[in-house]
Amino acid sequence: MSAAPGAEGEGLLFLGKATAVISHSIKNVMATVSETAGLLGDLVALAEREPRRMDLKELGTLGETIVEEIQRGFQVVQLLNKLAHSGDQPVADVDVEEAVAVVSSLGRCLAYCSGITRLPSAGEHPRIHTRPLLLHDLLFRALDAAFRAVGPDGEVKVGVERGADGVSISVHGLPAGFRGIFESPSVELLKQALQARVLLDREAGVLRLVLPERIGEARA
Amino acid sequence: MRVLLVDDEQKFVTFLATRLRLRGIDADCVFSGEAAVERVSSSGYDVVVLDVKMPGLGGIELRRRLESLRGGMKFIFLTGHGSEGDFQVGSAEASFYLPKPLKIEDLIAVLHQAVAGRARPSEDGR
């Protein structure tokens, strides 16, 4: 079962954009490790000239910073790995909470990222049979649009819930002027490929992506 | 030489400022474009080294605001992207452009070139 060629192209574009965003984050980590190691070297060189200036506590703190940054880098690489594998199978069972977590992590790499909090879920992790890569793409577009509307000082809340018509992912906290993500032909392609509905409650400031439990073979 | 470093990567910019100070350069750092505007409103700097992409006020717009506040400062853009497109934007908008991670010797050389008012480096000289 393959999606419409246009939708597959959208998935590739998404992976390209995600990779660019992630590479920026990795470079920031590398830059911090580089400066931390550089400062360590500077302080050691200084202490060689003036042994009394050796501050072991400061050296230890810098060492800890390198470890922390490597952990941050590892998390970014894990994110890249998860996104890369979202394209392994055109259609698969997807843990929606996990998909939201992955896309939220990607969103946090954006310079204009707003705060993101997760609304409490009912405890279950709803799974749906869908197109993983395109689901991540649509979700990212929703979050990206929300961040741009809310701004870096604002906050969006994301919730996942199972309903009678499938599983819905809701993005809360949108301003009154939010225009949604509906008008782009590429979003239309994604909606069709995912058989998703995108609903906007302007009054409540909530964008909702409603996804079927299982995409139909006939509409693939 | 007075240098202001602006980057939302707090440890990166803090340690970079410390390393510059250890080399005799009077360097301050702030973590946002908004804080840079506030700092430049009250203090003069010879060179501002700024990240292209930051939350809120990004590097390109920040440079315009700072220039309107206080003329005569030189600007060096830093970026984590390092793409050809970034180089074009960076070299068009600022005195110099350096991709992260950077070598401190390169930054210091560029700081001196900027203060001396030398022409921006050629693309081959990145």
Side-chain angles (χ1 to χ4, degrees), chain A residues 34-115:
Chain A
S34 173
E35 289 315 314
T36 311
L39 182 53
L40 258 175
D42 289 350
L43 294 177
V44 169
L46 203 62
E48 281 172 356
R49 292 198 299 271
E50 300 175 56
R52 280 182 300 175
R53 289 190 63 172
M54 172 77 85
D55 183 343
L56 289 177
K57 192 175 175 189
E58 186 174 19
L59 297 185
T61 303
L62 293 173
E64 285 168 14
T65 295
I66 291 177
V67 172
E68 286 166 9
E69 287 298 310
I70 288 171
Q71 287 300 318
R72 179 164 75 121
F74 182 62
Q75 286 171 3
V76 177
V77 171
Q78 276 187 317
L79 169 63
L80 177 62
N81 185 266
K82 285 178 181 171
L83 281 168
H85 283 299
S86 72
D88 284 352
Q89 292 177 286
V91 179
D93 282 348
V94 176
D95 178 332
V96 179
E97 291 273 7
E98 171 70 12
V100 168
V102 166
V103 174
S104 297
S105 296
L106 179 62
R108 289 188 185 98
C109 294
L110 295 168
Y112 50 87
C113 167
S114 314

Side-chain angles (χ1 to χ4, degrees), chain A residues 20-21 23-24 27-32 34-39 42-43 46 53 58 62 65 68-69 72 111-113 152, chain B residues 7-9 11-16 18-19 22-23 34 51 53-56 79-83 99-104:
Chain A
V21 168
S23 72
H24 180 239
K27 277 195 165 191
N28 273 334
V29 169
M30 290 165 65
T32 301
S34 173
E35 289 315 314
T36 311
L39 182 53
D42 289 350
L43 294 177
L46 203 62
R53 289 190 63 172
E58 186 174 19
L62 293 173
T65 295
E68 286 166 9
E69 287 298 310
R72 179 164 75 121
Y112 50 87
C113 167
Chain B
D7 199 308
D8 60 309
E9 285 286 326
K11 286 180 179 169
F12 164 76
V13 76
T14 301
F15 296 159
L16 184 56
T18 304
R19 298 188 72 202
L22 286 172
R23 286 161 175 78
E34 290 78 5
D51 190 14
K53 291 192 188 286
M54 290 184 286
T79 181
H81 287 278
S83 67
K100 292 182 193 171
L102 49 83
K103 289 182 183 166
I104 196 155

Side-chain angles (χ1 to χ4, degrees), chain A residues 164-176:
Chain A
D165 50 357
V167 171
S168 90
I169 302 166
S170 51
V171 181
H172 302 248
L174 303 169

